[in-house]
Amino acid sequence: VAAIYLDRDLSSIMIRDSNSEKVQAAAQMVQAKIADAERLAYVLEVAPDEAWLLAYVIGKNGARVQALQKGSDCHVEVSKESRTITLTGEDEEKVAAVRAKLDALVEQGRSENLFVHIPEAAIPAFVGQGGKNIKQLAADHGVEIQRVKKSSKFNITGEADKTASCKAAVEAWLAQYSENHASEEHPIQKQFVAAILGEKGKTIAG
């Protein structure tokens, strides 16, 4: 029998033997084991900008994870360190069923949490004095709107149809804002600046 080693550093399996037929047979056995493992396990890795999905999948006090596991004989583990959601079980059909529920839950989370980018210059007008504008927008659409910390992005949370409606309204507002604050840049040679501006800006003001 060929020697089989697990190289954890390379995340690979090494098969060694002087007999090539034994190596080939061992490789086929390993592939079969991997295929079995893949049917009984599922790992979903989320992108850094979607790390918030991990908390969403967990749910309040772990409610959503518990709901996924209930009656399935499967285990769901969420790792914030590796940004992964790992599903394992002993029955292929049950694993597939929970995987479908997990994928649906992730898509639900994405539809209930939409993000919009507001240019820094537009944020004061978007938010309004004391948050007046943003509060009114949220009330009009039945959602919550929160600014993402240290970012110019805003998170819209609520039912899927309401978040979509609110995002469309924000995009329409942004288009109007851009139109009202349109600007163009025209490079000017330094020696002509004074002539274009005129005394105290009189020429350009006119």
Side-chain angles (χ1 to χ4, degrees):
V1 179
I4 301 175
Y5 304 92
L6 173 62
D7 190 325
R8 296 184 183 277
D9 294 331
L10 298 177
S11 297
S12 62
I13 295 174
M14 306 294 293
I15 303 172
R16 295 177 180 173
D17 197 278
S18 58
N19 188 316
S20 61
E21 291 183 358
K22 289 183 179 181
V23 171
Q24 186 176 3
Q28 291 175 349
M29 182 189 69
V30 169
Q31 288 295 335
K33 292 291 184 181
I34 291 174
D36 288 340
E38 288 177 342
R39 286 193 291 269
L40 298 175
Y42 173 56
V43 179
L44 174 64
E45 182 176 355
V46 302
D49 62 345
E50 286 195 318
W52 57 268
L53 272 170
L54 300 173
Y56 181 87
V57 169
I58 293 172
K60 187 176 182 180
N61 298 322
R64 291 195 177 104
V65 163
Q66 291 170 21
L68 287 171
Q69 296 178 144
K70 187 176 181 180
S72 69
D73 296 325
C74 293
H75 178 67
V76 178
E77 181 178 348
V78 180
S79 171
K80 293 184 178 179
E81 289 74 22
S82 60
R83 301 192 313 279
T84 56
I85 304 169
T86 304
L87 161 65
T88 56
E90 298 298 326
D91 183 273
E92 184 178 340
E93 290 186 1
K94 289 182 178 180
V95 170
V98 177
R99 174 176 176 172
K101 291 180 181 179
L102 173 59
D103 288 340
L105 180 61
V106 168
E107 289 307 309
Q108 176 182 310
R110 287 176 174 144
S111 65
E112 292 181 355
N113 290 266
L114 301 184
F115 294 83
V116 289
H117 169 73
I118 306 295
E120 287 289 345
I123 289 178
F126 178 67
V127 173
Q129 187 174 9
K132 179 181 178 181
N133 294 348
I134 202 172
K135 290 175 183 176
Q136 186 61 55
L137 181 64
D140 289 344
H141 293 274
V143 298
E144 292 185 8
I145 305 175
Q146 297 288 335
R147 184 175 183 179
V148 179
K149 290 182 179 180
K150 299 180 181 179
S151 169
S152 58
K153 289 197 302 184
F154 286 77
N155 180 205
I156 304 171
T157 60
E159 296 175 12
D161 58 334
K162 294 179 179 179
T163 57
S165 174
C166 184
K167 184 176 182 179
V170 173
E171 290 172 343
W173 181 90
L174 279 172
Q176 186 63 54
Y177 179 89
S178 297
E179 184 178 331
N180 294 341
H181 296 78
S183 63
E184 294 184 12
E185 290 188 9
H186 295 274
I188 300 172
Q189 294 183 30
K190 189 175 182 180
Q191 64 267 31
F192 299 132
V193 172
I196 291 173
L197 290 178
E199 186 178 357
K200 297 182 180 180
K202 182 178 180 181
T203 303
I204 198 166

